[in-house]
């Protein structure tokens, strides 16, 4: 394997491992759950992205063929990491936080949707006008 | 050089997993534990990828993808259980 | 892509729409299947075609309406910008975690009023906020017009809200017509 490529791949591996380590260190170090939530959603995602990039380049060197599976994992992680963080934060709000004391006002006449069960946040709560135009031709 | 980098990577990710294990065992609230388990899944994916690179085989990517999917699904299912008291309504 | 150019007469369009209700979804499923196979062979192309045609038809009742996407240039630029921001934000957050003692972190909640109204735009904005500048989005107000965001180290709340609104939300408003 050429020297420059090996350097780049090794650098990506080290960088990815470093970010994964920092993300998990943040989980241990930071003081409460909401701050802890920042560490894995960001640092770990980038760490794994860097590792996957290294793997992509490595197998391209080895076989001469692009393997798309790595990109698939990367895409999946980037799509799902915000969703799981959002869910964990919401569940934390639901079980631990007092909305009157700790949360800022919404700036709207209603409260935050986690605490208001009769919200429009349910699946069929939207006004009917939003539903119109069921087929608008995604391809143009 | 790459093999050394891979070994350092293994050590770093294993240390990260141990830290997650600490939070999983100690974590004051339930959601701390869920967060730690979620991060552990991501670190397990990192370990699988590193192992695949060390063994020079492509065969482990399906397992990494399955880990990613199941980790996400279980996190969401648990949070939904906490939020609604039920998973499938 | 080829199927789209076959749409010629309105009568044929109705028949085609019956069987391919979401052309974009079909194309994406097909490409996803090929990416999963990793080394595509003729048989996997056939199976992928069957799956990508049958899945949208079977799950038709789940897809209520498809967001009218246009402006692929804006979308591509948005993706590139968010990727660059993700890397920057990661380095920033890693620096905060490693080098700053806990008591000097000014972490707090703040509210971002929303201008975008469509579900897809709000979802993408929430995901972008979570991935990028040291912030995690946690909740929406009950009428979906403001978002609850937690920041790891907030010095100037108004500036951060303005950054989110100008940098991400205005572009999303251009992508998703409300």
């Amino acid at each position: 394997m050429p020297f420059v490529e090996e350097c780049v791949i090794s650098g990506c591996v080290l960088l990815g491992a470093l970010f994964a380590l920092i993300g998990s260190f943040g989980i241990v170090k930071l003081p409460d759950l909401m701050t802890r939530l920042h560490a894995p959603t960001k640092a770990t995602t980038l760490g794994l992205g860097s590792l996957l990039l290294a793997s992509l380049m490595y197998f391209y060197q080895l076989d001469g063929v692009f393997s798309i599976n790595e990109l698939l994992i990367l895409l999946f992680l980037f799509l799902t990491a915000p969703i799981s963080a959002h869910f964990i934060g919401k569940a934390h709000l639901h079980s631990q936080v007092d909305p009157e004391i700790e949360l800022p006002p919404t700036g709207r006449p209603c409260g935050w949707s986690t605490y208001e069960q009769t919200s429009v946040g349910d699946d069929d709560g939207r006004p009917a006008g939003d539903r119109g135009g069921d087929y608008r031709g995604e391809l143009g | 050089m790459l093999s050394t980098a891979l070994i350092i990577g293994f050590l770093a990710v294993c240390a990260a997993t141990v830290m997650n294990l600490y939070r999983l065992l100690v974590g004051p609230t339930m959601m701390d534990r869920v967060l730690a388990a979620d991060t552990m899944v991501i670190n397990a994916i990192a370990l699988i990828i590193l192992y695949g690179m060390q063994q020079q085989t492509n065969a482990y990517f399906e397992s990494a993808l399955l880990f990613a999917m199941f980790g996400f699904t279980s996190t969401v299912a648990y949070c939904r259980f906490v939020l609604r008291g039920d998973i499938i309504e | 892509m080829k199927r789209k150019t076959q749409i010629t007469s309105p009568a044929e369009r109705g028949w085609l729409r019956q069987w391919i209700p979401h052309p974009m979804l079909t194309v994406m499923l097909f490409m996803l299947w090929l990416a999963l196979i990793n080394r595509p062979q003729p048989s996997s192309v056939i199976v992928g075609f069957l799956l990508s045609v049958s899945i949208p038809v079977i799950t038709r009742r789940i897809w209520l309406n498809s967001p009218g996407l246009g402006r692929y240039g804006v979308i591509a630029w948005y993706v590139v910008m968010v990727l660059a921001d993700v890397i920057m934000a990661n380095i920033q957050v890693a620096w905060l975690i490693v080098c700053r003692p806990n008591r000097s972190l000014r972490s707090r909640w703040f509210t971002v009023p929303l201008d975008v109204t469509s579900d897809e735009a709000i979802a993408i904005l929430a995901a972008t906020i979570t991935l990028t500048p040291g912030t995690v989005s946690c909740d929406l107000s009950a009428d979906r017009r403001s978002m609850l965001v937690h920041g790891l180290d907030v010095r100037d709340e108004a500036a951060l809200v303005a950054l989110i609104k100008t940098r991400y939300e205005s572009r999303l408003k251009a992508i998703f017509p409300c």
Side-chain angles (χ1 to χ4, degrees), chain A residues 3 6-7 9-10 13-14 17 20-21 24-25 27-28 33 36-37 40 44 48 51-52 54-55 58-59 62-63 67 69-70 73 76 80 83-84 87-88 90-92 94 96 114, chain B residues 1-2 5-6 8-9 12 15-16 19-20 22-23 28-29 31-32 34-35 38-39 42-43 45-46 49-50 52-53 56-58 61-62 64-65 68-69 72 75-76 79 82-83:
Chain A
F3 183 70
E6 200 176 344
C7 277
I9 294 171
S10 306
V13 167
L14 289 180
L21 189 61
S24 298
F25 176 65
I27 287 192
V28 173
L33 179 86
R36 272 176 215 144
L37 197 52
T44 312
L48 206 54
L51 275 181
L52 285 166
S55 166
Y58 181 65
F59 284 111
L62 217 61
D63 301 340
S67 120
N69 269 347
E70 281 96 334
I73 298 176
F76 189 80
T80 57
I83 300 174
S84 45
F87 259 106
I88 291 175
K90 219 169 153 89
H92 175 69
H94 185 73
Q96 299 284 322
T114 306
Chain B
M1 182 167 61
L2 185 61
L6 283 178
I8 296 173
M19 288 179 188
N20 291 333
Y22 168 78
R23 185 51 74 195
T29 67
M31 297 324 292
D32 276 309
V34 175
L35 180 66
D38 190 48
T39 317
I42 293 180
N43 283 333
I45 299 168
I49 292 163
L50 285 172
M53 282 175 79
Q56 305 194 345
T57 170
N58 239 332
F61 281 110
E62 277 80 7
L65 200 60
M69 285 177 176
F72 171 67
T75 306
V76 169
C79 292
V82 172
L83 275 172

Side-chain angles (χ1 to χ4, degrees), chain A residues 88-132:
Chain A
I88 291 175
K90 219 169 153 89
H92 175 69
L93 287 181
H94 185 73
S95 59
Q96 299 284 322
V97 176
D98 184 358
E100 302 288 328
I101 302 167
E102 296 178 49
L103 295 185
T106 56
R108 304 288 304 172
C110 50
W112 297 109
S113 63
T114 306
Y115 306 103
E116 299 201 349
Q117 291 301 320
T118 56
S119 68
V120 293
D122 289 326
D123 289 328
D124 269 324
R126 277 194 296 176
D130 282 3
R131 286 282 158 76

Side-chain angles (χ1 to χ4, degrees), chain C residues 23-155:
Chain C
M24 199 65 171
L25 179 67
T26 305
V27 171
M28 281 187 67
L29 279 174
F30 186 66
M31 284 163 62
L32 192 70
W33 179 257
L34 290 190
L36 259 178
I37 295 295
N38 211 5
R39 301 264 186 279
Q41 287 158 350
S43 62
S44 58
V45 171
I46 295 172
V47 174
F49 179 76
L50 289 178
L51 280 178
S52 61
V53 170
S54 62
I55 288 176
V57 173
I58 293 170
T59 60
R60 161 178 295 177
R61 292 178 56 202
I62 302 176
W63 305 94
L64 289 172
N65 59 347
S66 40
L69 282 182
R71 307 170 194 234
Y72 290 101
V74 185
I75 296 174
W77 172 239
Y78 186 80
V79 170
V80 171
M81 190 185 78
V82 167
L83 276 182
D85 283 0
V86 165
I87 295 172
M88 285 309 296
N90 273 299
I91 295 168
Q92 202 182 333
V93 168
W95 179 260
L96 283 178
I97 289 172
V98 175
C99 297
R100 291 273 292 276
N102 282 340
R103 63 181 178 281
S104 76
L105 289 176
R106 278 155 295 187
S107 64
R108 55 181 296 183
W109 299 96
F110 59 96
T111 309
V112 178
L114 292 177
D115 289 332
V116 290
T117 49
S118 70
D119 287 354
E120 294 85 11
I122 293 176
I124 292 179
L125 182 67
T128 311
I129 287 175
T130 301
L131 277 178
T132 47
T135 46
V136 171
S137 64
C138 273
D139 206 354
L140 286 175
S141 69
D143 63 350
R144 299 180 179 214
R145 296 312 302 272
S146 57
M147 191 184 280
L148 180 65
V149 180
H150 186 270
L152 182 58
D153 184 39
V154 184
R155 286 149 195 273

